[in-house]
Amino acid sequence: MRKNIVAGNWKMNNDLPQTEALITDLLKQTKTSNAEVMIAPTAVNLYQAFNATRASNIEVIAQNMHFADNGAYTGEISAAMLKSVGVNTVILGHSERRAYFNETDELLAKKVDAALKNDLRVIFCFGEELADRKAGNEEKVVESQIKNALFHLEASAFKNIVLAYEPVWAIGTGETASPEQAQDMHKYIRKTLNNKYGSQVANDMTILYGGSVKPNNAKEIFSKPDVDGGLIGGAALNAEDFYAIINAF
Ligand code: PEP
């Protein structure tokens, strides 16, 4: 089933006291919303965040995980470890992980498999660089990112996947894709899914837009028919701004 989701990616921000303070602020905001609300604090604070939001409609999700079940992977975190601290959803493929930690489509396919095997829902991120868009290659790039990491899956796996189109040139830059650019790409993504898996998978897929979504542009972006919500970076670090975006639905 297609859903509206607004997820806040806190990245490497907020130590424990700051995490608790931001959650306290979030819990003071409106409780009812037309979207599922998620926050992704840093891994070390996931358990505290999970406990602090237990009684609310906020889901605490992870920013990343390793593909192995366990073993000699110093510094890494497995899907089962995330599950054990109350996490049921993980972001995979964020452009910062691709760019700074060399995460390839091949590696991401393994992470997706590990997450699904452990009953984690995946928010799978992808998006073109500015040079790709300038060259008119944005659809080709996005299509290959989706195909390489996800098209080995059975159709039934897609009920546990959310897609997040995040043009790299719009992340943290203050530059947003226009609502039309977002809509055009989301429509193309649905067409790509339809070609491979048929109309049910395509129509049921929740596709988020990410890239400098702010309170002043969220409503117009979310009003587009193929945009089902947002993955929010900077504006998710402020409770009022984050809820203004959520309430744009
Ligand atoms: C992100 O990092 O996923 C993101 C969309 O960041 P921002 O909203 O700050 O552009």
Side-chain angles (χ1 to χ4, degrees):
M1 241 323 245
R2 207 157 143 186
K3 298 184 173 112
N4 293 328
I5 295 176
V6 178
N9 175 14
W10 292 7
K11 313 192 184 189
M12 199 173 71
N13 293 297
N14 292 334
D15 62 15
L16 181 56
Q18 290 165 331
T19 295
E20 288 169 340
L22 181 48
I23 289 175
T24 301
D25 284 350
L26 288 172
L27 294 175
K28 284 186 202 145
Q29 305 288 323
T30 327
K31 299 250 177 333
T32 54
S33 91
N34 294 322
E36 282 186 32
V37 179
M38 303 176 183
I39 56 171
T42 183
V44 76
N45 293 329
L46 284 170
Y47 188 53
Q48 284 84 355
F50 170 71
N51 277 323
T53 54
R54 255 176 209 274
S56 76
N57 66 341
I58 298 173
E59 180 184 349
V60 171
I61 70 173
Q63 298 177 16
N64 179 37
M65 53 160 256
H66 196 267
F67 61 79
D69 288 341
N70 51 38
Y73 297 100
T74 301
E76 291 293 333
I77 297 168
S78 72
M81 289 170 188
L82 294 179
K83 292 285 288 188
S84 74
V85 296
V87 169
N88 290 310
T89 303
V90 61
I91 299 171
L92 293 176
H94 192 281
S95 62
E96 288 151 17
R97 303 257 1 136
R98 292 176 190 260
Y100 307 142
F101 302 96
N102 303 318
E103 294 203 358
T104 60
D105 292 344
E106 195 187 4
L107 175 81
L108 290 167
K110 287 174 153 185
K111 289 192 177 201
V112 167
D113 289 347
L116 296 177
K117 189 179 89 182
N118 285 278
D119 287 330
L120 281 167
R121 175 162 61 164
V122 173
I123 298 182
F124 183 75
C125 305
F126 52 86
E128 82 282 1
E129 311 247 354
L130 186 56
D132 302 320
R133 185 161 277 269
K134 282 194 168 153
N137 287 336
E138 64 272 17
E139 289 182 347
K140 217 164 80 193
V141 169
V142 160
E143 187 172 339
S144 81
Q145 288 172 324
I146 294 173
K147 280 187 173 166
N148 293 342
L150 302 178
F151 274 17
H152 63 288
L153 297 171
E154 302 280 329
S156 59
F158 281 82
K159 64 180 184 308
N160 287 319
I161 294 189
V162 169
L163 298 179
Y165 168 57
E166 298 206 299
V168 179
W169 49 272
I171 295 182
T173 58
E175 195 171 334
T176 324
S178 69
E180 291 71 28
Q181 284 173 321
Q183 166 58 23
D184 287 349
M185 183 59 85
H186 285 219
K187 193 172 169 195
Y188 184 74
I189 294 163
R190 247 183 253 289
K191 190 174 123 201
T192 302
L193 289 173
N194 184 52
N195 291 345
K196 166 82 175 166
Y197 291 103
S199 61
Q200 183 155 4
V201 169
N203 292 334
D204 283 355
M205 180 55 60
T206 300
I207 309 177
L208 311 182
Y209 167 78
S212 299
V213 177
K214 307 286 177 204
N216 64 3
N217 59 23
K219 207 179 181 92
E220 215 188 330
I221 294 171
F222 294 167
S223 71
K224 294 295 174 191
D226 287 298
V227 178
D228 304 312
L231 185 54
I232 318 298
L237 298 172
N238 176 287
E240 273 182 35
D241 286 352
F242 190 50
Y243 265 89
I245 292 170
I246 292 162
N247 291 331
F249 273 108

